[in-house]
Amino acid sequence: MNWEEIVGQKKVVETLKDAIDKERVGHAQLFIGEEGFGVLPLALAYAKEILKRENEHAASKVEHLNHLDLHFSFPVFTEKNNSLSQRLFEDFRNMILKNPYASINDWNEVLDAQNKQLFISADEVDALNQKFALKSFEGGTKILIVWRADKMNVTAANKFLKFLEEPPKKTIILLLAEKIDTILPTILSRCQAIEVPRIDDESLEQGIKNQFDVSEEKIKEVIHQAQGNYNTALQLLQNDSANEEFEELFIDWVRNAFMAKKKPEVLRNIVLWGRNVASWNREKQKNFLDFCSEMFRLALLQNYDAEHLVYKRLSKNGFNWEAFTNFIHGANIVDILEEISDADLHLYRNANAKIVWTDLGIKLTRYIHRSA
C-alpha cells in the first residue's frame, strides 16, 4: 500500500510522514476509526515507509505482506483449542491484498465463522511475546500490526499491557480499533492516539471513479449511503443485484402491509415473505434491515418536503414512491425504525429468524395505516 493509493485522509498521511521525517515515531500507536475509513491502509503505508527507509528493498515485501519483520495479529475463532491467528494468516493476507479496506464482517464471511466468536486470545499474546523476543531478520525495526485490537479479550489485554510496558528494542506496535470502549484504559494511556475520520465526499467520489465506470447519479447515491466508508461504497457498487433484490422485497412488504387491512388473507404472503428473508445468512439479513431503515428515512424526508436530500426513489414494478411517502410521517416513523432496530438486535442474539421477520412484517401493517 502506497500513500498515493489511500483514499482521502490527507491530514493523517501528512501527520504520519512528518513523524517519520522528524524521527518521532512512537513505539505504540493506536489508529481509531472504521476499517472502511482507511485505518489498515494507513498503517500499512506507514509501516512500509519506516521499513523502506532502513532498507530500500523492503517495499515490495511489505506490499505482498511477506516481510519477515512485519507481523500481524487479528481476531479468529478457537478451533481444536487453537486460538492463534497464524493458522489463518494466508486467508487474512489474501483478503487484505484484495481489499485493504475490508471489515470484520468481511473477515467473518471469509472464515465462514457464522455464529462463532472472533477474538484475540491470551495465547495469541503469548505467541507474540515469543516472536518479538527474537532478533529482527533484517537487523532493523520489527513492526506489529494488531487489526481490530478492540476484539482482545480481558485476559489477553492484561498480558498485552505488559508487552507494551516492556517492549523489545526497535519494536513498533500499531493497534487498529474501531472503538476504544472495550480497550483497557491502561493500554490507551500507553499509546499515541491517531483519529482516522470518515473519508470526505470529494475523495470518496474520486476513489469510486478510479475503479468504476458508473453514472454521476449512481455515484451520488453511493456516497450518501457509504457515509465516508470506502468499503461500504465498494460493496454497494459490486452488489447491484443484491440491491435490486432488496428493492423488490421491500416493495412486496409495503404492498402487502397496505392490503392486509382490507384483506387479512394477505398476511399469509407476509409470513412467506418472512420465511424467504430468514433463509439468508445473518449478514445479508442485517444489510436488508439497513436498506429498509434507509428507505423509510428517505420516505419521511420526501413527505416533509426535503426532496433535495432524497437521493434514491423506488420505482420497480410500478411502485408509486410519492404515494407511499405520504404514509410515512412523524406519527409512525419512530415506531417503524425502532422495530427494525429491535429485529437487528434479536438477530444478533441468534433469535429464530423466521419469527423475527414474520413479527416485523406484520407489525408494519399496523404502523403504516396510522394517521398523521
Side-chain angles (χ1 to χ4, degrees), residues 271-321:
V271 173
L272 294 174
W273 172 89
R275 289 179 181 177
N276 179 24
V277 179
S279 67
W280 299 342
N281 63 51
R282 191 169 69 180
E283 186 61 25
K284 187 176 179 181
Q285 292 180 56
K286 182 184 182 304
N287 290 339
F288 183 49
L289 285 172
D290 292 341
F291 177 87
C292 293
S293 291
E294 187 66 1
M295 289 304 103
F296 284 119
R297 189 184 74 83
L298 293 176
L300 180 72
L301 290 172
Q302 173 105 19
N303 192 16
Y304 281 35
D305 297 324
E307 292 189 32
H308 61 288
L309 298 175
V310 181
Y311 59 86
K312 183 179 179 66
R313 296 169 175 80
L314 304 185
S315 59
K316 190 173 282 290
N317 300 329
F319 185 68
N320 190 328
W321 170 258

Side-chain angles (χ1 to χ4, degrees), residues 49 172 192 246:
E49 187 69 28
I172 294 174
Q192 176 188 347
F246 287 173

Side-chain angles (χ1 to χ4, degrees), residues 4-50:
E4 297 76 20
E5 295 176 294
I6 294 170
V7 180
Q9 306 299 1
K10 291 181 180 178
K11 287 185 178 179
V12 182
V13 169
E14 288 174 6
T15 299
L16 297 177
K17 284 182 175 180
D18 188 58
I20 298 172
D21 290 338
K22 295 179 179 178
E23 297 183 355
R24 292 179 180 173
V25 177
H27 89 274
Q29 297 174 63
L30 173 62
F31 291 68
I32 308 162
E34 294 180 22
E35 297 103 330
F37 293 172
V39 177
L40 181 56
L42 284 163
L44 288 173
Y46 192 38
K48 177 182 174 181
E49 187 69 28
I50 293 168

